[in-house]
């Protein structure tokens, strides 16, 4: 239930926030703990450690992707791209 609440908050943040930089907070701040809680429950219920690899991958890649999107949005367009 906790993971569903975090995921819902993250999805609403992506849909409602209009600026390019604002929706970055949805997947990085709310969805990451939601997926973490979901994978944690999967580890407890399934008694296997394989979902921890998914959680580790997500915790590493989500902030990096958000940072790269923000950097690309701040970069001024080149003269041949206009």
């Amino acid at each position: 239930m906790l993971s569903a609440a975090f995921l819902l908050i993250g999805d609403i943040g992506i849909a409602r926030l209009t600026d390019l930089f604002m929706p970055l907070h949805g997947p990085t701040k709310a969805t990451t703990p939601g997926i973490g809680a979901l994978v944690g429950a999967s580890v407890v219920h399934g008694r296997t450690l394989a979902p921890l690899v998914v959680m580790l991958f997500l915790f590493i890649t989500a902030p990096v992707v958000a940072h790269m999107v923000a950097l690309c949005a701040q970069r001024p367009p080149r003269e041949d791209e206009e």
Side-chain angles (χ1 to χ4, degrees):
M1 189 67 168
L2 177 68
S3 62
F6 274 114
L7 292 173
L8 180 65
I9 291 169
D11 292 340
I12 290 172
I14 291 172
R16 297 253 348 220
L17 299 172
T18 57
D19 188 15
L20 175 68
F21 298 108
M22 289 179 171
L24 291 176
H25 292 287
T28 57
K29 304 295 185 231
T31 307
T32 303
I35 294 292
L38 185 68
V39 169
S42 174
V43 167
V44 170
H45 181 68
R47 294 183 179 90
T48 179
L49 298 178
L52 289 177
V53 175
V54 173
M55 187 170 23
L56 178 67
F57 180 74
L58 177 76
F59 285 167
I60 291 172
T61 58
V64 172
V65 169
H67 182 71
M68 288 294 138
V69 169
L71 285 178
C72 289
Q74 287 180 340
R75 182 182 64 88
R78 294 190 314 223
E79 293 178 14
D80 60 342
E81 290 179 344
E82 294 178 8

